[in-house]
Amino acid sequence: MTAHPLFDISGRTALVTGSSRGIGLALARGLAEAGCTVVLNGRDGERLTEAAAELGAAELPGNVHTAVFDVTDGASVTAGIADVEERVGPLDILVNNAGMQLRAPLLEFTDSDWHRILDTNLTSAFLVGREAARRMTERGHGKIVNICSLQSEVVRPGIAPYAATKGALKMLTKGMCADWGPYGVQVNGLGPGYIETELTQALVQDEEFSAWVRRRTPAGRWGRTEDLVGGVLFLASPAADFISGQVLYVDGGMTSVL
């Protein structure tokens, strides 16, 4: 059997922000495996070079490039997107993955940490999305996938600011859909549940917390980064041409149960 042509994204160019490790790197790998030319983004050039070498060593069908720029700084984003399009080619796909987590009781959360998490998780998606969409709307096509979260819908103690950014990102996704849909650009969100990465190792190794995650998730386990790849490939493909403003939750069913 061959894949249905609606799911064919080979030859397209994709930028994945925050993709030197973890979820972002897994999504970039999946896009490259699907035949895309992929641009890895981050602020640490050395780490990006290592990530690109890792993907290159896998002999994937797609080409891999890097772009070092700060997604929280407007001028850096403008210059970075211009450089990518000049050096690699017009962007067909943008995955706004850059994000961070800061855990603290809300009464103890500092002003500086509030602005830091807001800039990283929300403002970055606005800045990069806007700059990419300036070009996508002119060309009449494009796919933007914002990496939302289970916490776009629900929250637990100690992560209120993170949930606030991810809830806002869900609504930004819908707003982008409303503004850019008439120009042929589809904007959707992907909402990971509890995913095992190097950044969540402390939680994974916490036996009590891990047991809670497994009990709370109908699938009965933590998610893996590769569990997220299919959703991104779908939302980036022609199969999703009439889907926009939606969030696809990849959470093992957690948002569906009490």
Side-chain angles (χ1 to χ4, degrees):
M1 289 181 64
T2 57
H4 196 289
L6 279 174
F7 297 93
D8 182 11
I9 56 173
S10 59
R12 304 196 180 187
T13 300
L15 168 66
V16 184
T17 67
S19 50
S20 63
R21 60 181 177 175
I23 289 173
L25 182 57
L27 298 180
R29 178 189 293 274
L31 288 162
E33 289 172 340
C36 290
T37 294
V38 177
V39 182
L40 306 180
N41 158 262
R43 289 182 293 187
D44 187 329
E46 184 176 338
R47 183 178 285 172
L48 280 180
T49 299
E50 292 173 356
E54 178 186 330
L55 295 188
E59 298 183 357
L60 304 174
N63 298 315
V64 180
H65 301 262
T66 62
V68 181
F69 61 88
D70 182 354
V71 294
T72 70
D73 179 79
S76 181
V77 168
T78 299
I81 296 294
D83 171 67
V84 167
E85 293 225 339
E86 180 179 348
R87 183 165 48 90
V88 183
L91 288 176
D92 302 295
I93 301 162
L94 166 65
V95 180
N96 275 317
N97 169 76
M100 66 178 301
Q101 172 65 288
L102 293 171
R103 298 179 181 88
L106 195 52
L107 289 176
E108 300 170 16
F109 212 83
T110 66
D111 291 4
S112 61
D113 280 347
W114 169 264
H115 290 292
R116 184 179 166 208
I117 198 169
L118 190 68
D119 285 348
T120 305
N121 292 0
L122 181 62
T123 303
S124 67
F126 162 69
L127 293 174
V128 183
R130 181 183 63 180
E131 197 60 35
R134 290 189 200 280
R135 299 158 184 271
M136 289 178 173
T137 54
E138 287 181 358
R139 293 189 288 261
H141 65 88
K143 301 281 189 177
I144 297 176
V145 182
N146 294 326
I147 304 304
C148 297
S149 172
L150 169 73
Q151 273 83 37
S152 296
E153 298 292 342
V154 295
V155 72
R156 61 183 178 83
I159 59 167
Y162 177 84
T165 64
K166 291 299 186 176
L169 184 57
K170 176 182 75 170
M171 294 310 298
L172 179 62
T173 299
K174 293 177 180 294
M176 289 174 167
C177 157
D179 274 28
W180 302 334
Y183 301 94
V185 178
Q186 292 84 49
V187 187
N188 290 289
L190 189 77
Y194 284 96
I195 307 296
E196 183 174 354
T197 70
E198 54 263 53
L199 297 179
T200 59
Q201 277 306 302
L203 293 177
V204 174
Q205 292 168 7
D206 182 326
E207 292 185 9
E208 183 178 353
F209 188 83
S210 257
W212 175 81
V213 168
R214 291 192 296 271
R215 287 195 308 270
R216 193 64 184 73
T217 306
R221 64 172 175 86
W222 281 77
R224 297 180 287 266
T225 54
E226 54 264 34
D227 290 323
L228 303 172
V229 172
V232 162
L233 298 183
F234 165 62
L235 293 174
S237 76
D241 278 355
F242 201 57
I243 298 172
S244 199
Q246 306 302 309
V247 180
L248 173 60
Y249 289 101
V250 185
D251 63 356
M254 186 180 276
T255 53
S256 297
V257 299
L258 291 173

